[in-house]
Amino acid sequence: MLRSSILLRTAIPTVYLRGSQSGILKQSNLPHHRCNVSKVDSPDVRKLAEMAQIEVSDQEVDAWQPQIAEIVEWFAHLQDLDLPADPSGSPEGSPLTDSRLREDTPRDWPEREKLLDEAPDREGRFVKVPKIL
Amino acid sequence: MSLPGGRHCLISGEPLTHLLHNTFVSAALPRWHQPVCSSFGRPQRPVCASAGVLERSAPAEATSRCSLTSLADSIKSGKRSAAEVTEEYLQRIESLDPQILSYLAVNGEGALTAARNIDEKVAAGSGAALGPLAGVPISIKDNILTQGIETTAASNILSGYHPPYSATIISKLQDAGAIILGKTNLDAFGMGSSTENSDFHTTRNPWDLERVPGGSSGGAAAAMAASLCAASIGTDTGGSIREPAAFCGVVGLKPTYGRVSRHGLVAYGSSLDTIGPLTHSVADAALLLGVIAGGDRHDATSSHEAVPDYLKGLQSREQLSSKPLRGYRLGLIASTLDEGVDRPIHDNLQRAAQHYESLGAEITTVKLPMFREGLTAYYLLAVAEASSNLARYDGVRYGLRVPADGIKGMYKGTRSQGLGAEVKKRILMGTYALSAGHVDAFYKKALQMRKVVRDEMDAALRDVDVLITPTTPSTAFKIGEHTTDPLELYRGDLMTVNLNLAGLPGISVPCGFDDSHRPGHPLPIGMQLIGKAHGEADMLRIAHIFEQTAEWAQGTPPDFQHDVGKMDMKRKGC
């Protein structure tokens, strides 16, 4: 596996050349997973964790910061590619040809008690949570 | 025709027999290449229930390898008792799973109750009316909701969660008569390729207990390889059925996006997630797909296209002509056999291609320049969707809650304690990709790349019936080998993720072995076939014909092959 991975990395410029020849990719001398750093705001793990409602320890920040930064840089290499705009802009996992929406009609669900029982804390038919404000 | 190892092959009257022994057969057949069929080279009539093999007095191991259809038929006709069969599997789990750790929960009482219910119906004379999976014991990946059985998605945050309803596919399987043996291990929420990201334990590969079974459906694949269930249901967001199937030497089928309802699936990447079977044979996968496929009013993304009889085109070896794939065009994706693929995998894929040629298929090499680029777009979309989907785990309605004075403290405490490191990192990456100022540069770019990959694959599939790649660039790696560099691990998904981007069906079938890591200790290799959207029937047929004719490609783990003699039942089309 290790051997494969190293080879994979060395194989990457070839892919670039092919893409360039096909006119889809821009010429680039950058390695595949390292893009122009100036295009990437370095991820701030503490800020991201705050947005995602996750607590992170100092050790986690130290360990994760370089890992997440490396992957974000890898993501950013997509910016080096001259990609045709997707007119649909669809995030759907096509090929969806017959996706259908149904009427939004309320129905009684027989397992209501079981549903509520899964809540960590409840009072009657309410789910109980700590103070919000 | 004399075979290495002194066996003789009687070829007269058997048009395909010569295909089983070509120039690749090594001088001394290693143990795992030995015939799974006890009478290698002496084809026999199909060994079905009527041949007495499945009599009630059969030894416990006799059930493990027979095809699902013959097992269900033997139960429906009263030749075997569903409770007995279930009990045998439960005993196997009890004695063998402590080594493999494929299950997170075993549904012993529930399974036996359901099995006795089947037996009562058979005794009452209504056996014939039972479904195609009557009494067949199966396992379910633990990110699929099962009413009455704890469902955790292998995450602490759902530990102790008992779903108030079952996934649509569970109802369909139960309606077809299947018995749910238990829930199998996975990387938490499906995020990983090894089960090392399970919050509970790492599953072992039955071929080598020091190695991973692949993931995220690693528990399902390991349970199949060790015959701890007759069939298994997994999920595939970027290869999570196919990669572990390849690592464990079993069949893994990822259906077309929308083909199978996801109602009741613990969501990870909603535009990528699919549910499919892991089985011992292509025919078993076809049968299971037929049961679980179809539109569902509870899943607006499910396809209502008619479900064909996937078993219909699958002939047994004896029924095949000498060139059963004449007129078919198969496309080898060139870049997937380039650098970065282990040599034994490259060689076995070439061997498979030659085998297909000998079956009458035309093999072409297809260049897909963007194939390797899909990996980046895939991971970006997967983590973005995950960060959104996993926002629901907040300690309010189900699962873990860490008490705090205010609700924000409760959210943060719950998520910090309940979610594992890999899950948190992916949420943080997804949060980055979706945050203000980054959406255009990251998320939208990935959507554009998705379209490019999809168009490229669709165009290629207009010229060929299926595309072929290795399922993985390497065989199963050692536990702990990849924990320090996530990017290296992600690259293992190179072959599989594009199908999820494009929504196409794929199947991994066993394609020989690699013992270069440790001579005499084989690790399975998988071949991936990629079909057209809703083209499962053709894809399954092409995979099935390979399986029926390439015995060199298949085997069972040496330490779990006590029932290997029964393998021939599936191959002979029972």
Side-chain angles (χ1 to χ4, degrees), chain B residues 18-332:
Chain B
H18 68 284
L19 295 172
L20 306 178
H21 324 293
N22 54 27
T23 53
F24 292 95
V25 176
S26 61
L29 277 179
R31 188 161 46 143
W32 66 95
H33 274 178
Q34 282 175 8
V36 284
C37 159
S38 57
S39 53
F40 192 50
R42 276 192 294 117
Q44 299 171 330
R45 297 309 307 156
V47 186
C48 294
S50 58
V53 174
L54 292 177
E55 292 301 330
R56 198 174 282 270
S57 59
E61 57 270 27
T63 45
S64 300
R65 286 291 177 158
C66 65
S67 78
L68 301 185
T69 301
S70 66
L71 177 59
D73 285 350
S74 71
I75 288 168
K76 285 193 265 190
S77 64
K79 287 201 175 84
R80 292 222 68 183
S81 132
E84 245 180 44
V85 173
T86 299
E87 183 65 45
E88 286 166 13
Y89 276 104
L90 290 171
Q91 280 171 10
R92 275 185 72 78
I93 293 168
E94 195 179 338
S95 64
L96 296 173
D97 205 43
Q99 297 173 62
I100 297 170
L101 303 172
S102 60
Y103 280 85
L104 287 177
V106 177
N107 179 38
E109 270 312 300
L112 283 170
T113 304
R116 288 188 199 110
N117 194 18
I118 297 271
D119 287 338
E120 281 168 21
K121 286 179 179 160
V122 172
S126 48
L130 292 169
L133 294 172
V136 171
I138 61 171
S139 62
I140 305 291
K141 189 176 178 181
D142 200 32
N143 60 348
I144 297 173
L145 303 193
T146 42
Q147 190 172 10
I149 311 172
E150 185 182 0
T151 300
T152 66
S155 172
N156 279 322
I157 210 159
L158 280 175
S159 192
Y161 175 60
H162 285 81
Y165 66 97
S166 281
T168 296
I169 65 132
I170 298 298
S171 309
K172 286 186 168 195
L173 288 163
Q174 288 174 327
D175 288 349
I179 308 294
I180 294 174
L181 283 175
K183 306 297 290 289
T184 56
N185 194 24
L186 64 150
D187 294 285
F189 295 103
M191 297 184 191
S193 316
S194 64
T195 73
E196 288 167 296
N197 294 332
S198 166
D199 285 353
F200 305 125
H201 55 242
T202 298
T203 298
R204 315 284 158 153
N205 190 319
W207 289 89
D208 179 347
L209 298 176
E210 290 181 5
R211 291 178 186 270
V212 301
S216 63
S217 310
M224 280 313 297
S227 290
L228 302 182
C229 52
S232 196
I233 297 291
T235 66
D236 191 314
T237 303
S240 283
I241 287 173
R242 292 158 285 155
E243 187 239 24
F247 279 10
C248 291
V250 300
V251 173
L253 168 64
K254 172 222 175 287
T256 305
Y257 182 82
R259 181 67 293 187
V260 175
S261 164
R262 285 105 44 90
H263 175 63
L265 166 67
V266 175
Y268 164 17
S270 298
S271 78
L272 306 156
D273 292 338
T274 53
I275 299 176
L278 292 95
T279 54
H280 285 307
S281 74
V282 176
D284 286 353
L287 174 67
L288 274 175
L289 178 63
V291 169
I292 62 175
D296 178 12
R297 65 185 298 273
H298 296 299
D299 176 3
T301 63
S302 65
S303 168
H304 292 260
E305 189 153 316
V307 179
D309 179 357
Y310 295 112
L311 281 170
K312 198 176 171 187
L314 309 187
Q315 294 172 304
S316 69
R317 187 169 59 186
E318 285 72 22
Q319 294 169 311
L320 294 173
S321 68
S322 62
K323 301 282 182 194
L325 288 174
R326 196 190 299 277
Y328 278 86
R329 279 167 69 89
L330 281 50
L332 272 175

Side-chain angles (χ1 to χ4, degrees), chain B residues 78 113 370 491 527:
Chain B
T113 304
M370 303 307 278
R491 287 195 180 100
M527 170 170 64

Side-chain angles (χ1 to χ4, degrees), chain B residues 303-385:
Chain B
S303 168
H304 292 260
E305 189 153 316
V307 179
D309 179 357
Y310 295 112
L311 281 170
K312 198 176 171 187
L314 309 187
Q315 294 172 304
S316 69
R317 187 169 59 186
E318 285 72 22
Q319 294 169 311
L320 294 173
S321 68
S322 62
K323 301 282 182 194
L325 288 174
R326 196 190 299 277
Y328 278 86
R329 279 167 69 89
L330 281 50
L332 272 175
I333 301 179
S335 59
T336 64
L337 289 173
D338 274 359
E339 308 92 327
V341 175
D342 282 0
R343 192 74 212 176
I345 291 181
H346 172 275
D347 292 350
N348 273 39
L349 260 288
Q350 294 290 4
R351 180 180 177 182
Q354 288 175 30
H355 184 84
Y356 266 130
E357 245 171 357
S358 71
L359 296 168
E362 182 190 341
I363 306 290
T364 60
T365 301
V366 177
K367 285 193 175 157
L368 299 181
M370 303 307 278
F371 196 82
R372 283 174 181 256
E373 305 293 335
L375 187 66
T376 322
Y378 163 77
Y379 265 100
L380 206 161
L381 293 174
V383 297
E385 293 184 22

